[in-house]
Amino acid sequence: MELPVIDLSSYLSAVSNDRDPRLQSLCADVSRTLSETGALLVKDPRCTVEDNDRFIDMMENYFSAPHEFKIRQERPHLHYQVGVTPERVEVPRSLVDEEMQEKVKEMPEEHRPHVPVGADLKWRYFWRIGDRPSNTKFQELNAEPVIPEGFPEWKETMDSWGYKMTAAIEVVAEMAAIGFGLPKDAFTSLMKLGPHLLAPTGSDLEKYGQVGTVFAGYHYDLNFLTIHGRSRFPGLNIWLRNGQKVEVKVPVGCLLIQTGKQIEWLTGGDCIAGMHEVVATNRTIDAINAAKEQKRSLWRVSSTLFAHIASDAVLKPLGRFAESPLAKKYPLMCAGEYVEQELSVINLNGKK
C-alpha cells in the first residue's frame, strides 16, 4: 500500500477560509488517513530538500565524532530529554511489554516485526524546540538545551529545521481537528509551550550494517504526532491500523507523519499510536554500498521531531470522542505525568 501524499499548500494559502468545501474535503482526508492508517505523507513548501540535507549533513558529522566526545552531551539525570542518548540505552517497548509480545506472536509471519534482543543500537540527540513554560510541575521535561563544542552552526541549524517541522505538524493538527469535527485549535491550543523535541537518531552502518540488525525495536511513540524528514538510508517499517507491515518510502521533498499515544488519548482511540521499527534491509545494504562508492558517511540519520501536548495540559478524549465507548480507557491525566510513566518503562528515567 502506498501512503497518500497531502500537499499543504492549498490549506496554507487559504487558511483564513477553512470552511471552503475543498479544504473541508482535504481536512477530512487527513483525519481519515490518520485514523485508518496512523501515518501520512505531507508536502510542505516551507520545508525544503535543502533544509533537510543541511540538517543531516551536520548530524552525520556529529554522530561520527568519537564516543568520548559525544558522551559529554549526555544528561541521564534529566531523563535524557536533552542532549545525547548513547546506543544500548533506550529499550524498545516490545522488549518489556508482555501484552505487546503476545500480540506480536499472533501476527501473520509476513507482518511480524523483528524481535529485538536488547536495547536499541541507535544514538539519539534531543534538542528542544519552542518556548517552555515559566511555571511547570515537570521541569526535567522542559530543561535547557545542550550545545556540543565545535559546531558553531548547531543552534541555527537545529532551530531552523525544528521550527519548520513543528509548523508542518501544527498545520496537520489543525486540519485533523477540522476533519474530526472539532474546533480548529482543539489540538494546537494544547500544544502551546509543549516540550517539542527535535530528535535525530544516528545508526552506525559501518559497525552494524548487516541485514536484520535492529536499530530501533518495534514500538510506538508516546507524544502527540511525530514527523520525519527523508533519510539517506532505508530501513523504517510501519504498521497500519489493520496490522499490515509497510516499508516506508518517503518521496523526495516529503515528510512522514505518524500518530503518537497522546493523539490516541485525545481522540478516545479513534486514532491509534502507530507502531514502527528501524532495521537493516536489503535496500539498506544497497544504499550502504552506494554510499561507500561515493565516499559518503555511513551513519544513518533520521530527521525526526516529536510534537507534544504541553506537560501541564490534561489528556482526555475531546468533543464527540468523550462519548465513545472506548473513552473510559483514557482517563484524565496530565500529559507530563503520562510521559514520565512511559519514560520509566523504556529506561529513559535517568537510571542506567
Side-chain angles (χ1 to χ4, degrees):
M1 173 186 172
E2 294 291 327
L3 293 174
V5 177
I6 303 291
D7 191 331
L8 304 184
S9 300
S10 56
Y11 184 85
L12 288 168
S13 63
V15 72
S16 61
N17 184 26
D18 54 46
R19 295 193 180 278
D20 183 311
R22 290 168 298 180
L23 289 185
Q24 291 278 338
S25 176
L26 193 62
C27 292
D29 288 343
V30 168
S31 60
R32 184 180 63 253
T33 303
L34 290 176
S35 177
E36 292 178 356
T37 70
L40 184 70
L41 289 167
V42 301
K43 190 172 182 61
D44 187 328
R46 302 167 299 177
C47 300
T48 68
V49 173
E50 292 75 22
D51 291 328
N52 192 45
D53 284 344
R54 184 164 70 112
F55 174 77
I56 289 180
D57 286 344
M58 186 183 75
M59 294 312 304
E60 285 177 348
N61 290 336
Y62 173 77
F63 285 125
S64 62
H67 182 277
E68 297 73 21
F69 170 78
K70 288 182 289 193
I71 59 173
R72 288 186 222 158
Q73 290 86 53
E74 187 182 9
R75 301 292 186 271
H77 62 288
L78 295 175
H79 292 198
Y80 293 96
Q81 291 302 287
V82 290
V84 77
T85 305
E87 62 181 54
R88 301 183 187 276
V89 169
E90 190 171 342
V91 177
R93 185 85 197 208
S94 54
L95 197 65
V96 294
D97 188 324
E98 293 183 0
E99 182 180 350
M100 189 180 291
Q101 291 168 2
E102 290 303 313
K103 289 180 179 178
V104 166
K105 289 177 185 176
E106 295 169 2
M107 291 180 177
E109 189 171 346
E110 67 271 22
H111 296 305
R112 206 172 290 164
H114 291 73
V115 179
V117 295
D120 287 343
L121 298 179
K122 69 180 186 297
W123 289 70
R124 190 192 290 285
Y125 206 101
F126 276 143
W127 177 263
R128 54 177 262 181
I129 296 295
D131 295 330
R132 294 301 194 257
S134 56
N135 183 27
T136 175
K137 293 180 289 186
F138 305 96
Q139 290 292 347
E140 68 276 12
L141 298 181
N142 296 277
E144 288 300 312
V146 179
I147 302 176
E149 298 173 6
F151 287 83
E153 77 280 26
W154 186 272
K155 186 178 188 305
E156 193 278 328
T157 302
M158 298 292 267
D159 285 346
S160 173
W161 187 230
Y163 277 104
K164 287 181 178 184
M165 289 210 293
T166 303
I169 283 215
E170 287 171 344
V171 170
V172 170
E174 280 190 0
M175 296 175 74
I178 293 168
F180 283 130
L182 299 171
K184 175 180 167 180
D185 67 347
F187 298 134
T188 53
S189 61
L190 295 173
M191 292 171 62
K192 287 178 181 173
L193 301 181
H196 312 309
L197 290 167
L198 184 57
T201 62
S203 303
D204 188 349
L205 300 179
E206 188 168 19
K207 185 177 179 182
Y208 299 117
Q210 298 83 38
V211 171
T213 300
V214 179
F215 298 110
Y218 183 69
H219 68 286
Y220 58 75
D221 290 340
L222 57 84
N223 53 298
F224 173 61
L225 290 173
T226 301
I227 187 167
H228 309 268
R230 189 172 187 267
S231 176
R232 291 171 177 168
F233 296 90
L236 175 63
N237 293 322
I238 67 171
W239 277 259
L240 307 183
R241 186 165 186 159
N242 64 6
Q244 181 184 353
K245 178 181 177 180
V246 176
E247 184 177 5
V248 177
K249 298 174 184 176
V250 179
V252 174
C254 290
L255 303 161
L256 172 70
I257 290 179
Q258 282 193 281
T259 49
K261 203 69 177 176
Q262 290 173 349
I263 194 172
E264 179 177 330
W265 214 287
L266 296 172
T267 61
D270 192 84
C271 289
I272 295 293
M275 304 301 298
H276 49 287
E277 67 179 4
V278 179
V279 297
T281 65
N282 289 326
R283 290 180 64 233
T284 314
I285 304 306
D286 290 342
I288 290 172
N289 292 334
K292 285 179 178 177
E293 288 178 10
Q294 297 165 20
K295 295 184 168 38
R296 290 190 286 108
S297 173
L298 293 182
W299 278 87
R300 182 192 186 277
V301 173
S302 75
S303 178
T304 300
L305 181 136
F306 298 123
H308 278 260
I309 298 305
S311 301
D312 296 277
V314 174
L315 292 175
K316 63 178 180 179
L318 301 177
R320 65 182 176 86
F321 297 118
E323 308 303 318
S324 164
L326 296 176
K328 62 180 180 293
K329 289 179 58 181
Y330 304 96
L332 273 66
M333 180 183 291
C334 266
E337 181 185 351
Y338 169 71
V339 169
E340 288 187 335
Q341 285 182 11
E342 288 279 346
L343 294 179
S344 69
V345 173
I346 60 176
N347 205 31
L348 293 185
N349 59 355
K351 298 174 184 176
K352 294 185 79 173

